[in-house]
Amino acid sequence: IEFTNFSLAHFIPLILLGVVIFLIIRYKDKIKEFKHEKTIRMTLAFMLIICEMSYFWRLVGVPSLNPNPVDHLPITVCGWAVVFASYLMVTKSQTLFDIIYFWLLSGTLISIFTPSAVLSFTGPTRFRYYQFWFEHTLGFVALFYMMFVHKMRPRWISMAKSAIALLILAVIAFSANEILGPGANYLFLAKPEDTPSILDILPSNMALRMLIMASVISAFFFLAYLPWLLLDRKKAKLES
């Protein structure tokens, strides 16, 4: 079954994600006081890693999928966001929180609202469909869990940390594309993607394309931080 955006197969995972986030917010205090709260975090960390690794285990276990470095190196924003989220659940690292907060609320958010770029030929009858949704939605579960249960939040400096980490990943992706040659297109930096996505509205000229992408990402970063900015200003006004 072929996946299509804004179908039932698209809305069900988003609705389930919304329900889980609502429950986390609703019962955040009880979760924090639960004597096995650490076990919840460790379980979520384990699930995140398994979701990410299962993609590569499937490639290795099914030779007909033709695993190769041109298409299947672990150089993706969403993949590394999940890895960082897993370690965040274990370490409660502010730096990891800063990175995934902006990565998830920019790149990954686009992925879950226009996932056909990844899921064009993998609907609910395929393993990849479930691996994709578990991986991407669990990242958001981890983020909101740490925000509401452990009161973690970003600061202005958090945007710089996240941007630097993204730039490092982009340099790695660009280098991989150059080394591997035609066909390699990590982070879509080498050419427009072959399947429909929101990025189709961008020009094919790669220099202009990357400039616009950087501007859009910067705007997403700012929008992700805007609620905290407004909250801080409101708090400062009340204290003055």
Side-chain angles (χ1 to χ4, degrees), residues 3 34 43 59 71 74-75 92 132 163 165 171 209-210 219 226 236:
F3 179 88
F34 183 48
T43 301
L59 287 175
D71 298 311
I75 309 176
K92 300 182 186 178
F132 172 91
V171 170
R209 184 182 180 86
M210 285 189 280
L226 185 59

Side-chain angles (χ1 to χ4, degrees), residues 20-36:
V20 173
I21 291 174
F22 169 79
L23 292 175
I24 289 173
I25 297 172
R26 176 68 175 81
Y27 297 105
K28 59 183 184 297
D29 295 329
K30 291 184 178 180
I31 296 172
K32 185 66 167 64
E33 296 169 1
F34 183 48
K35 64 179 181 179
H36 297 300

Side-chain angles (χ1 to χ4, degrees), residues 20 24 37-51 82 85-87 89-90 134 137-146:
V20 173
I24 289 173
E37 187 275 328
K38 183 177 180 180
T39 302
I40 295 176
R41 285 189 289 110
M42 297 304 106
T43 301
L44 186 52
F46 177 74
M47 292 173 65
L48 284 159
I49 286 294
I50 291 298
C51 285
V82 167
S86 178
Y87 281 95
M89 302 307 289
V90 176
F134 271 107
T137 57
L138 282 177
F140 283 98
V141 170
L143 176 66
F144 280 87
Y145 185 95
M146 297 309 289

Side-chain angles (χ1 to χ4, degrees), residues 77-229:
V77 170
C78 297
W80 278 106
V82 167
V83 173
F84 291 154
S86 178
Y87 281 95
L88 169 65
M89 302 307 289
V90 176
T91 64
K92 300 182 186 178
S93 165
Q94 182 64 45
T95 295
L96 291 178
F97 176 86
D98 293 341
I99 293 172
I100 72 164
Y101 178 85
F102 292 100
W103 284 19
L104 288 173
L105 294 178
S106 53
T108 303
L109 193 64
I110 293 174
S111 294
I112 66 172
F113 280 104
T114 59
S116 63
V118 175
L119 299 178
S120 291
F121 306 105
T122 52
T125 59
R126 301 292 185 91
F127 169 83
R128 175 60 170 144
Y129 171 85
Y130 297 98
Q131 186 275 331
F132 172 91
W133 283 111
F134 271 107
E135 177 186 24
H136 287 69
T137 57
L138 282 177
F140 283 98
V141 170
L143 176 66
F144 280 87
Y145 185 95
M146 297 309 289
M147 270 200 297
F148 287 94
V149 177
H150 289 279
K151 312 299 183 185
M152 299 187 77
R153 58 154 295 176
R155 302 286 179 182
W156 275 112
I157 190 65
S158 304
M159 281 195 283
K161 291 181 183 179
S162 189
I164 291 170
L166 184 59
L167 180 60
I168 292 171
L169 186 62
V171 170
I172 293 172
F174 181 81
S175 300
N177 292 338
E178 290 295 306
I179 293 170
L180 295 171
N185 192 27
Y186 292 105
L187 300 190
F188 305 122
L189 294 180
K191 61 179 181 178
E193 59 278 11
D194 297 324
T195 51
S197 83
I198 196 171
L199 298 179
D200 290 343
I201 64 175
L202 297 179
S204 58
N205 180 280
M206 291 311 297
L208 183 57
R209 184 182 180 86
M210 285 189 280
L211 178 61
I212 295 175
M213 287 174 68
S215 301
V216 170
I217 290 170
S218 298
F220 269 107
F221 275 29
F222 177 76
L223 288 174
Y225 188 73
L226 185 59
W228 299 103
L229 178 63

